[in-house]
Amino acid sequence: MSEQNFETLMQTAYLQTFPTQLDLITEGDPADFLYVVIEGCVELYARSNSREATMGMVQPVGTFILAAVLKDAVYLMSARTCQKSKILLIPSDNVREAFQADASFTRAIVQELASCYRGVVKEHKNLKLRTAVERLANRLLRYHRDQGANGSLDLPYDKRTLASLLGMTPENLSRAFNTLKPYGVDVDGSFVRLNDTKALETLAKPNPLIDGRDQ
Amino acid sequence: MSEQNFETLMQTAYLQTFPTQLDLITEGDPADFLYVVIEGCVELYARSNSREATMGMVQPVGTFILAAVLKDAVYLMSARTCQKSKILLIPSDNVREAFQADASFTRAIVQELASCYRGVVKEHKNLKLRTAVERLANRLLRYHRDQGANGSLDLPYDKRTLASLLGMTPENLSRAFNTLKPYGVDVDGSFVRLNDTKALETLAKPNPLIDGRDQ
DNA sequence: TTCAACGCTTGATAATTATCAAGGATCGAG
DNA sequence: CTCGATCCTTGATAATTATCAAGCGTTGAA
């Protein structure tokens, strides 16, 4: 977008640092701000009945709640920090203003929104087409790839969060790790060693249309 | 969008009628066209391993595969007609052209894309936060509401498709209907009578942030 | 140093969901 | 009208996943 429009937009924004485990937004509330994660990590989650599920994790530099802002609607998800995090808050009105005023900004927003959309579609496919063990196996392979594919990886979140993200209970995540032991998966806290990626891939059957970074 | 830009875009488009059960696109293929359902009904589905899942249904007037077109990426879902359907195909290049040229079109596209995004998020919440019976109960209440809330409803798709859409097997859908019988749900083919919506709602616990039409 | 809190794991069991097999109903083609 | 195909349903069983309870190890505060 134009330097000038960017400046205008940024002058309306707040850059704030939040402690860990702080609730930023609650589903059902009107979308007052667009959020951009600058540092740290944010968990998107949802509740219904009395169940709770992690919907996604946002890391720098990522936005969340973009669709609600653009539609001037209520949030569909809640969000909380899962580390001390630096976050940019841009008032919704100003986002929509810039969106009307600056065509380049509009196009950038659309690319971001389209990426978010495809992210959720992939997550949905993941959940509908795979068992819990397969989801874990593929997630490990993804982290392994993203962290340099050097035979080991670090789980980026605690296991409880990872379990919910993968659509299972913490107990089941533990058991899923045990199921993967014969496939060369050794776990020590948040450190995971993959001793036989070939075997793991045979089990996981990774699919670029679910696990791919781009696309 | 401007009349002129609309004319230009439409001159590149094809309006075609397809028979039922015809495959329109296959996941993994490059996004050559944006699709608009004018008449009939289209099923979006995905495959992995050797499993298949219905991802959504598109009815007039709805688009599909918008995000892939905007990102110039491959399709994440396959699509097939589930009735004889009249469909508009707009070449992706021309959509992206109009998208660059006409700001009103861009904004309209964004609204559509944001709606699609929120639709998938709701579906994802539905799957993660509810059991199969709850999903069916809420779906029945939704159809009931959308069809005039007069005590009965027609299932818009055959039960096999409905089952896959709700994330269960056809056998389980049958059993879920039986589970709902004590809550006043009487099924006769695709015709369903709700004799006790109060009781059904108590079981279903509908949530506007999952089942709401707008938002 | 001690203790409580927390996260994770394990075992036992229950609930949910899927699979396989078979049978009944419906519908369209011949 | 009859036959075969398709869809749906039901029963029996298996697999998957969740729940409940208990225990272990680490961590951090008093």
Side-chain angles (χ1 to χ4, degrees):
Chain A
M1 66 192 300
S2 82
E3 186 75 26
Q4 193 193 329
N5 284 331
F6 181 74
E7 284 306 322
T8 307
L9 187 58
M10 281 310 116
Q11 268 165 22
T12 68
Y14 311 87
L15 183 61
Q16 271 191 271
T17 302
F18 296 99
T20 188
Q21 288 302 322
L22 189 100
D23 268 296
L24 299 169
I25 61 174
T26 304
E27 54 180 317
D29 287 353
D32 294 329
F33 295 95
L34 173 64
Y35 288 76
V36 187
V37 181
I38 307 296
E39 272 178 40
C41 182
V42 168
E43 177 188 0
L44 302 177
Y45 67 97
R47 257 192 262 262
S48 199
N49 285 359
S50 49
R51 278 160 271 190
E52 181 181 308
T54 301
M55 300 293 292
M57 308 297 292
V58 189
Q59 261 144 349
V61 180
T63 67
F64 56 95
I65 309 297
L66 181 52
V69 167
L70 292 172
K71 295 211 62 145
D72 199 3
V74 299
Y75 298 124
L76 289 181
M77 300 183 277
S78 303
R80 65 183 157 224
T81 54
C82 45
Q83 297 170 21
K84 187 182 171 203
S85 301
K86 196 184 284 184
I87 293 176
L88 187 72
L89 293 83
I90 316 175
S92 296
D93 290 339
N94 301 101
V95 173
R96 286 192 293 268
E97 236 166 63
F99 179 78
Q100 298 280 339
D102 191 308
S104 306
F105 180 67
T106 313
R107 286 191 286 272
I109 285 289
V110 167
Q111 291 302 311
E112 170 76 9
L113 185 57
S115 293
C116 291
Y117 173 79
R118 288 167 69 86
V120 192
V121 169
K122 287 185 209 165
E123 260 317 299
H124 203 61
K125 288 171 67 171
N126 197 30
L127 204 58
K128 272 194 143 176
L129 292 166
R130 287 174 171 161
T131 65
V133 171
E134 289 171 338
R135 292 197 295 276
L136 174 60
N138 280 293
R139 186 63 55 139
L140 292 179
L141 288 169
R142 183 194 301 190
Y143 292 149
H144 184 241
R145 176 196 65 198
D146 292 350
Q147 293 175 20
N150 65 347
S152 70
L153 60 97
D154 266 296
L155 300 176
Y157 329 111
D158 57 38
K159 289 179 180 158
R160 203 160 58 108
T161 307
L162 182 63
S164 183
L165 186 64
L166 293 176
M168 54 181 127
T169 57
E171 292 97 326
N172 253 315
L173 179 64
S174 248
R175 296 188 177 108
F177 271 122
N178 285 334
T179 306
L180 292 181
K181 209 169 265 174
Y183 297 86
V185 177
D186 280 353
V187 187
D188 179 16
S190 74
F191 179 80
V192 180
R193 174 154 278 290
L194 303 186
N195 297 302
D196 190 350
T197 50
K198 278 274 176 296
L200 190 58
E201 278 172 0
T202 305
L203 173 88
K205 297 184 193 63
N207 180 335
L209 299 179
I210 299 180
D211 312 294
R213 204 175 337 199
D214 31 66
Q215 284 164 358
Chain B
M1 67 191 298
S2 83
E3 186 75 24
Q4 193 191 332
N5 284 332
F6 181 75
E7 285 306 323
T8 307
L9 187 58
M10 281 309 117
Q11 268 164 21
T12 68
Y14 310 87
L15 183 61
Q16 270 191 273
T17 302
F18 296 98
T20 188
Q21 288 303 322
L22 189 100
D23 268 296
L24 299 170
I25 62 174
T26 303
E27 55 180 316
D29 288 353
D32 294 329
F33 295 95
L34 174 65
Y35 289 75
V36 187
V37 181
I38 307 296
E39 271 177 39
C41 182
V42 169
E43 177 188 1
L44 302 177
Y45 66 98
R47 258 192 262 263
S48 201
N49 285 0
S50 48
R51 278 159 270 189
E52 182 182 306
T54 301
M55 301 293 293
M57 309 297 291
V58 189
Q59 261 145 348
V61 178
T63 66
F64 56 95
I65 309 297
L66 181 53
V69 167
L70 292 173
K71 295 211 63 147
D72 199 4
V74 300
Y75 298 124
L76 289 181
M77 299 183 276
S78 303
R80 66 184 156 223
T81 55
C82 45
Q83 297 170 22
K84 187 182 172 202
S85 300
K86 196 184 284 184
I87 293 176
L88 187 73
L89 293 83
I90 316 176
S92 295
D93 291 340
N94 301 102
V95 173
R96 286 190 293 267
E97 236 167 63
F99 179 77
Q100 297 281 338
D102 191 309
S104 306
F105 181 67
T106 312
R107 287 191 285 271
I109 285 288
V110 167
Q111 290 302 310
E112 171 76 10
L113 185 58
S115 293
C116 290
Y117 173 79
R118 288 168 69 86
V120 193
V121 169
K122 287 185 210 166
E123 260 318 300
H124 203 61
K125 289 172 66 170
N126 197 30
L127 204 57
K128 273 195 142 175
L129 292 166
R130 286 173 172 164
T131 66
V133 171
E134 289 171 336
R135 292 197 296 275
L136 174 59
N138 280 294
R139 186 63 56 137
L140 293 178
L141 288 170
R142 183 194 301 191
Y143 292 149
H144 183 240
R145 174 196 67 195
D146 291 350
Q147 293 175 20
N150 64 348
S152 71
L153 60 97
D154 266 295
L155 301 176
Y157 328 112
D158 58 38
K159 288 180 182 159
R160 203 160 57 106
T161 307
L162 182 63
S164 183
L165 185 64
L166 294 176
M168 54 180 126
T169 58
E171 293 95 326
N172 254 316
L173 179 64
S174 250
R175 296 189 179 107
F177 271 122
N178 285 334
T179 306
L180 292 181
K181 207 169 267 175
Y183 298 86
V185 177
D186 279 355
V187 186
D188 179 17
S190 75
F191 179 79
V192 180
R193 174 153 278 290
L194 302 187
N195 297 302
D196 190 351
T197 49
K198 277 276 176 294
L200 190 58
E201 278 172 0
T202 305
L203 173 87
K205 297 184 194 63
N207 179 335
L209 298 180
I210 300 180
D211 312 293
R213 206 177 335 201
D214 31 66
Q215 283 164 357

